[in-house]
Amino acid sequence: MTSPAASSSPVDFCGIELAHPVINASGTFDAIAARRAFGDALIERFPFAAFVSKTVTVAPREGNPPPRLWELPAGLMNSIGLPNKGLEGYLTHDLPELARLPVPLIVNVMGFSRDEVARLVSAFAERDEVAALELNVSCPNVETGLVMGADPGEVARLVSAVRPLTDKPLIVKLTPNASDVPAVASAAEREGASAVSLINTIRGMAVHPRTGEPWLGGTTGGVSGPAVRAIALAQVRSVADAVDIPVIGMGGVTHGRHAHDLIGAGAALVAVGTESFRDPSAGTRIASELALAGTGPHPPPHHCGRGLAELRG
Ligand code: RRO
């Protein structure tokens, strides 16, 4: 039987053909652990049209001390703190496994300086297994103390430094914790970003009910899930109005209708995050519901930023 998801139209995203417009949000679906827990069936019927990996940093990281999660009435707050094997560990252990997935691989990277981001982008530029890169700009630049993604100038300098290092599509993952998100998106576009994705989580805090101390080991955390859906929708719309490159919309999507709304607000693709913790095959369901919601014919592909040839010329 053909599922509705299988019958939804393929989408061209910056030259990458996707079976449908639903992907995962970075850090919310561990494909390697999912294979271990649920077996090859989940991988064969992969819930997303592309897989976005958890953030990779140059050096290995343990992540934040526990507790790392706090449940909210309509969502989740996390303070995971970027645990990962580091660039070398990722290339040796994770990339060969992720390359076996039946969908294109998008690697999310984060650096604590422009040089670190450049190192990561150069390393993945060489790898045919990687279809595209996503730059997570939600962290402070140790050289300036500024959160890279909160400042259009910082983002412009970052994208202009790394754009010449790869022909692969470069997606800039925007933080909602900025005063002018469309200005940050426009700065990324001007310097050659191929696409932007938003929203990352919104900073929040929870207090331990007995001690009165911050609950999370990292003191503050990022809020996600249905609680942020209306904020995501507004930010996606304002960014889509400000740029011509494709926008990947995410934030509180639990049903195809929410994906449909984000596409209506200007998103070319939609990412599912927190809902996958509740239901690992949520991506398949949401893609099916979206197909039934009838998005109509997909608009022509967006122009994915300036090509390298144009930048070099
Ligand atoms: O690892 C995290 O704590 C984390 C990251 Br890098 C991110 O981009 N967003 C988030 O909510 N948590």
Side-chain angles (χ1 to χ4, degrees):
M1 197 184 90
T2 312
S3 72
S7 66
S8 62
S9 330
V11 186
D12 179 283
F13 174 74
C14 298
I16 306 165
E17 172 129 339
L18 303 181
H20 57 77
V22 179
I23 66 173
N24 67 298
S26 171
T28 60
F29 188 90
D30 182 338
I32 297 171
R35 167 178 268 132
R36 241 182 276 126
F38 303 105
D40 282 342
L42 185 73
I43 301 302
E44 279 152 20
R45 299 193 65 235
F46 200 66
F48 306 107
F51 177 68
V52 186
S53 77
K54 170 90 184 137
T55 304
V56 184
T57 53
V58 171
R61 289 173 58 91
E62 290 286 333
N64 285 340
R68 290 174 166 182
L69 293 176
W70 173 265
E71 257 190 85
L72 295 160
L76 189 65
M77 185 157 51
N78 84 84
S79 176
I80 310 296
L82 293 159
N84 77 101
K85 301 184 178 100
L87 177 59
E88 290 312 319
Y90 186 92
L91 292 172
T92 309
H93 301 291
D94 290 359
L95 191 56
E97 289 235 32
L98 297 175
R100 292 166 55 205
L101 295 177
V103 295
L105 173 63
I106 300 173
V107 176
N108 180 298
V109 299
M110 184 193 267
F112 295 92
S113 64
R114 280 197 291 281
D115 285 351
E116 278 198 357
V117 182
R119 220 174 121 190
L120 291 155
V121 169
S122 301
F124 289 114
E126 313 265 298
R127 306 301 296 242
D128 290 340
E129 306 94 314
V130 177
L133 288 165
E134 184 173 63
L135 306 183
N136 187 345
V137 294
S138 298
C139 83
N141 180 338
V142 288
E143 284 150 7
T144 63
L146 294 171
V147 171
M148 292 192 202
D151 183 72
E154 281 273 333
V155 166
R157 284 186 287 280
L158 176 68
V159 177
S160 116
V162 301
R163 178 65 282 184
L165 305 177
T166 182
D167 281 318
K168 295 188 195 295
L170 267 185
I171 306 159
V172 176
K173 172 92 175 260
L174 302 170
T175 171
N177 305 307
S179 54
D180 191 347
V181 182
V184 177
S186 297
E189 178 182 44
R190 239 182 348 264
E191 298 303 331
S194 317
V196 289
S197 54
L198 74 157
I199 60 172
N200 204 326
T201 51
I202 300 175
R203 194 174 310 116
M205 187 176 142
V207 171
H208 193 295
R210 283 190 303 278
T211 67
E213 295 296 313
W215 171 268
L216 293 167
T219 307
T220 61
V223 177
S224 64
V228 308
R229 190 185 307 132
I231 298 164
L233 195 56
Q235 292 209 0
V236 165
R237 189 177 136 142
S238 62
V239 165
D241 283 348
V243 299
D244 289 325
I245 52 177
V247 174
I248 304 175
M250 70 196 89
V253 173
T254 65
H255 190 278
R257 202 176 54 247
H258 308 141
H260 186 253
D261 290 348
L262 283 168
I263 290 171
L269 301 181
V270 170
V272 174
T274 307
E275 181 68 358
S276 295
F277 291 112
R278 209 184 56 75
D279 170 12
S281 54
T284 305
R285 174 180 56 75
I286 290 166
S288 302
E289 292 161 350
L290 175 62
L292 293 171
T295 54
H298 286 286
H302 295 251
H303 176 62
C304 283
R306 280 177 288 153
L308 265 190
E310 198 182 322
L311 280 170
R312 284 178 185 140

